[in-house]
Amino acid sequence: QQQVKQSPQSLIVQKGGIPIINCAYENTAFDYFPWYQQFPGKGPALLIAIRPDVSEKKEGRFTISFNKSAKQFSLHIMDSQPGDSATYFCAASMGGGSEKLVFGKGTKLTVNP
Amino acid sequence: SAVISQKPSRDICQRGTSLTIQCQVDSQVTMMFWYRQQPGQSLTLIATANQGSEATYESGFVIDKFPISRPNLTFSTLTVSNMSPEDSSIYLCSVGQENQFFGPGTRLTVL
């Protein structure tokens, strides 16, 4: 049973575009939602994270939007660059001493020059 | 953030053999996690390793197949036992609490 659903599976945008990756969850016990970026041959790297009591969080060109009532959250990449081409994973954890991460299936992003 | 190294970075193994993967962290951490990432897939948690106690395995993973050691607060090993081609994956360790930091991974190919 997949607890975090991620879409789309792949995404191609032009340089300067704003790719949007969406995730949805069902378990309301989740209270921490990080995003990871993974380049080929590398381990995932933490990009940005949000809690459900915040509707939006920005860090540089990366923005998370969170809709608690819909149990959905999304990653927006502003002014995307070819160097942003990577696989992006959303994840969720319950906190409260349980740090286990449940990952979405990933989105392969390609930013064309 | 912690600096995490893994050895080996990659290996090609024969069916029926075992491989031990090492994970070293540059600071003391309470919890370490082992994940499996099958080719082109997402990450699946294998087990949580706490120093001084038995590892806690997720559904679908058993200690006989994936024994884990955690001898101190900076080191852990994961053994993939009696390997089959289905075990071909990237194995990753991570540390942290809410913000987890991952090692570079060990790419395992089983022939």
Side-chain angles (χ1 to χ4, degrees), chain B:
Chain B
S1 64
V3 176
I4 305 168
S5 60
Q6 287 185 232
K7 291 182 180 179
S9 59
R10 58 178 61 227
D11 207 341
I12 301 174
C13 301
Q14 296 298 319
R15 179 195 299 261
T17 62
S18 298
L19 176 72
T20 296
I21 302 168
Q22 300 178 7
C23 179
Q24 179 76 51
V25 189
D26 69 341
S27 59
Q28 294 184 340
V29 295
T30 303
M31 301 177 74
M32 296 179 76
F33 305 89
W34 286 98
Y35 288 84
R36 180 175 73 182
Q37 186 174 24
Q38 294 176 304
Q41 301 297 315
S42 186
L43 288 83
T44 301
L45 181 65
I46 297 171
T48 302
N50 291 332
Q51 194 270 335
S53 64
E54 293 289 327
T56 302
Y57 289 82
E58 297 299 305
S59 176
F61 297 97
V62 295
I63 188 171
D64 290 346
K65 176 67 175 178
F66 297 101
I68 288 172
S69 77
R70 183 79 201 276
N72 58 53
L73 291 173
T74 63
F75 187 79
S76 178
T77 67
L78 170 75
T79 299
V80 186
S81 302
N82 188 24
M83 290 184 286
S84 67
E86 292 70 35
D87 295 318
S88 297
S89 294
I90 300 172
Y91 292 86
L92 297 137
C93 66
S94 75
V95 302
Q97 296 183 345
E98 289 182 328
N99 291 331
Q100 286 189 23
F101 301 97
F102 286 81
T106 294
R107 183 178 295 272
L108 171 62
T109 301
V110 184
L111 302 178

Side-chain angles (χ1 to χ4, degrees), chain A residues 17-96:
Chain A
I18 305 175
I20 301 172
I21 303 170
N22 300 299
C23 286
Y25 65 98
E26 295 186 358
N27 190 341
T28 56
F30 288 140
D31 70 351
Y32 196 68
F33 301 87
W35 285 88
Y36 285 84
Q37 178 189 56
Q38 186 177 32
F39 294 104
K42 304 292 185 182
L46 179 65
L47 201 56
I48 186 173
I50 197 168
R51 295 188 186 281
D53 56 349
V54 176
S55 61
E56 185 176 275
K57 184 175 181 179
K58 293 181 180 180
E59 287 189 5
R61 295 184 294 107
F62 300 93
T63 299
I64 301 178
S65 298
F66 196 93
N67 186 329
K68 186 175 181 178
S69 61
K71 291 184 285 186
Q72 296 175 348
F73 57 109
S74 59
L75 177 70
H76 303 230
I77 305 175
M78 307 301 177
D79 187 27
S80 59
Q81 301 296 312
D84 296 328
S85 297
T87 299
Y88 293 81
F89 294 95
C90 62
S93 68
M94 296 184 193

